[in-house]
Amino acid sequence: MSSANPSPRQIVVVGNGMVGARFAQETALLDPTGERVRTTVIGAEHHPTYNRVLLPGVLSGDYTTDQIRLPAPDTPHTTVRTGMRATALDTAHRTLTLDDGTLLAYDELVLATGARAVFPPLPGAASPDGTPGEGVSALRDIADCHRLLTLVRPGAPAVVLGGGVLGLEAARGLQRRGARVSVVESSPWIMRRQIDEPAAHILSRLYGDLGVQVHSWRVASRWIPGTGLELDDGRILPADALVVTAGVRADTELAAGAGIDVEHGIKVDDTLATSRPRVHAIGDCAQHPGGGAGLVQPGWEQAAVLARRLTGTEPGARYSGARPVTRLKAQGIELTAFGRVHAQDGQDGVRTLTVSDPAGGRYAKLATRRDMLVGAVLLGFPQAAAALAQLHDTGTPLPADRLALLQDTPPHTGPNIPEPLVCRCNAVTRHDLEQAWLDGARTREAAASATRATTGCGGCVREVDALLSDWGDRASAN
């Protein structure tokens, strides 16, 4: 006598951001009939999931909020509940309490709570409970974006506090809206962690040419609403709005309240398990020994690994850590950096090749060790960046002519060079996109639906658009 099929296990995901939503999507793809698992996603925001990385593009007017939405699982076995917060977690009884009083039971819980913007201890910037002061906003979600668009008007001054990737992208977005923008960075140069000083000097000049004034090695003293930002040297930068992009902090409150081990983030191992059974963490809230927080690609890799584990399609799947690539997505500026960008020639067997063209706004530094690429800074070399990032990822030996790798049309394929990724976030190659085009994907939206290209950091949007246009022109000519 055969036994009935067991009921599907219940997975609850806390967080409907880019990583939590990707986990639900991966799970739906691996178990389309819902025979193994049923997934419930809890999101604090009232909006459907969207690409947070592209918010500076909404500021600039390149995108609307509708255009940055991300695909949701199209299956009756996945439930998404927006506008709700998880308030308590009981790992002994495996229940999650929501702010409307709902009690959800789970077989497996996935924490994808992300990170929150950090406001520095700057007088006038925020109240003790973290509420932004008058004229102050972060740029972490759609609400922040809408707030900034009401604060900053064309022709009016604004200051961005923080010269990292987000700060520079926000500054470029506001400048394209017509604002007069200044950037204040307390480090000796902008993007201090991601690029070296010579590259930063050229990048600062490029921003200056656009009308964005960069003030490096300067500390903010206080924010004066209606006046501007006072610096440590006594100067006051006029501003109607202050955009704070000075860092984020992992959202670990729910986990810590449940007794889960927390440090800078929720501690996880290679299986993405926390210190409590059946509770997992992925994305910006997770702290893995191999890193990955703060970048979308590692978060998506974690989501894919955990989906394979919890659906049983690959119980032995592991996340081994991140090989982060930084891309600055500012209109008219192409910057990519990864690996040991601060390595000096001769240090630990590292050799460096540097090409500097300040007048042309271009700079490249390649760091190699034993014929392997271990780091690079590429400003103004968009075509070479994709191939070099792939060489770094795969550990492929470099060709003898290193300088040829920086040419506008480098040797992208061959015995030593793998096919470069157009969309690194989703591991999409030119061949993948071309096949999607041949199958009928003629627009960026259709290509994104078929391959997921352009749905990550947004750094490949222009290249995807150019490829689709080129293939379309060739088809018309024939």
Side-chain angles (χ1 to χ4, degrees):
M1 183 174 178
S2 62
S3 59
N5 290 330
S7 59
R9 297 193 309 139
Q10 303 296 316
I11 298 178
V12 174
V13 183
V14 184
N16 191 34
M18 296 179 70
V19 174
R22 174 57 72 94
F23 170 82
Q25 191 178 34
E26 293 282 352
T27 301
L29 290 172
L30 294 171
D31 183 30
T33 61
E35 294 180 359
R36 299 183 177 190
V37 298
R38 303 290 174 94
T39 304
T40 300
V41 183
I42 306 301
E45 292 186 70
H46 291 276
H47 307 281
T49 183
Y50 58 90
N51 191 329
R52 190 181 309 278
V53 181
L54 298 183
L55 287 175
V58 176
L59 277 186
S60 68
D62 290 335
Y63 304 104
T64 66
T65 52
D66 286 341
Q67 289 174 326
I68 66 171
R69 285 186 181 177
L70 291 174
D74 184 18
T75 167
H77 314 297
T78 301
T79 302
V80 180
R81 303 177 66 175
T82 59
M84 294 188 173
R85 292 185 179 275
T87 58
L89 169 61
D90 183 342
T91 59
H93 297 92
R94 299 210 299 267
T95 58
L96 183 73
T97 303
L98 306 184
D99 57 2
D100 67 349
T102 301
L103 196 67
L104 292 179
Y106 65 84
D107 292 305
E108 305 282 349
L109 184 78
V110 179
L111 297 173
T113 49
R116 298 176 178 175
V118 173
F119 288 89
L122 174 69
S127 61
D129 65 358
T131 302
E134 180 184 346
V136 181
S137 180
L139 183 54
R140 188 69 188 168
D141 55 31
I142 284 179
D144 292 334
C145 199
H146 288 162
R147 176 175 170 81
L148 281 173
L149 290 175
T150 63
L151 290 172
V152 182
R153 294 166 294 176
V159 173
V160 176
L161 184 59
V165 174
L166 179 58
L168 293 176
E169 290 178 354
R172 179 61 167 137
L174 290 172
Q175 182 269 337
R176 295 191 67 211
R177 281 278 183 178
R180 296 181 286 120
V181 186
S182 298
V183 175
V184 175
E185 170 54 50
S186 60
S187 296
W189 63 85
I190 54 176
M191 293 184 64
R192 173 68 179 81
R193 295 180 181 178
Q194 294 89 7
I195 64 177
D196 59 0
E197 189 171 8
H201 286 317
I202 296 176
L203 181 61
S204 294
R205 204 201 71 190
L206 289 174
Y207 265 79
D209 291 343
L210 294 170
V212 177
Q213 300 304 310
V214 176
H215 304 270
S216 298
W217 211 220
R218 290 268 67 90
V219 176
S221 294
R222 61 171 174 154
W223 167 247
I224 310 170
T227 300
L229 184 69
E230 183 177 351
L231 304 182
D232 54 353
D233 61 3
R235 282 182 299 165
I236 295 179
L237 302 179
D240 288 350
L242 176 66
V243 188
V244 177
T245 62
V248 297
R249 180 181 296 115
D251 190 344
T252 61
E253 185 177 350
L254 184 67
I260 295 171
D261 287 350
V262 168
E263 198 174 68
H264 304 300
I266 304 168
K267 298 176 73 172
V268 297
D269 58 17
D270 289 354
T271 69
L272 301 166
T274 70
S275 61
R276 293 297 174 91
R278 298 176 182 253
V279 181
H280 318 267
I282 55 178
D284 283 354
C285 70
Q287 179 183 333
H288 182 274
L295 297 169
V296 65
Q297 185 192 3
W300 280 354
E301 291 174 357
Q302 293 171 5
V305 166
L306 190 58
R308 296 198 299 271
R309 290 184 60 82
L310 298 190
T311 58
T313 53
E314 190 181 339
R318 296 288 190 277
Y319 173 73
S320 57
R323 295 179 69 87
V325 172
T326 298
R327 287 188 175 90
L328 179 66
K329 298 166 292 300
Q331 183 70 31
I333 298 175
E334 301 282 353
L335 172 64
T336 299
F338 52 83
R340 299 181 60 180
V341 298
H342 299 295
Q344 300 297 315
D345 193 65
Q347 177 185 23
D348 298 328
V350 172
R351 306 300 299 178
T352 61
L353 168 67
T354 302
V355 176
S356 182
D357 177 20
R362 303 207 304 173
Y363 176 86
K365 174 183 177 181
L366 305 184
T368 63
R369 187 170 184 265
R370 297 174 184 169
D371 292 327
M372 305 290 182
L373 185 64
V374 297
V377 180
L378 301 157
L379 176 58
F381 292 88
Q383 297 302 318
L388 289 167
Q390 190 78 339
L391 287 169
H392 179 251
D393 279 354
T394 58
T396 304
L398 296 174
D401 187 356
R402 310 290 167 79
L403 197 59
L405 292 169
L406 298 176
Q407 296 173 0
D408 289 337
T409 54
H412 286 310
T413 58
N416 288 339
I417 303 179
E419 182 182 6
L421 299 174
V422 175
C423 175
R424 189 176 187 276
C425 295
N426 293 290
V428 181
T429 65
R430 178 185 174 121
H431 174 76
D432 297 330
L433 285 165
E434 187 169 14
Q435 186 59 55
W437 188 88
L438 293 172
D439 291 339
R442 298 292 193 263
T443 65
R444 186 204 305 167
E445 292 75 17
S449 178
T451 67
R452 288 178 171 170
T454 74
T455 64
C457 73
C460 64
V461 167
R462 287 192 287 277
E463 185 173 357
V464 171
D465 284 345
L467 288 172
L468 295 175
S469 177
D470 181 52
W471 293 328
D473 289 345
R474 292 184 187 181
S476 298
N478 294 331

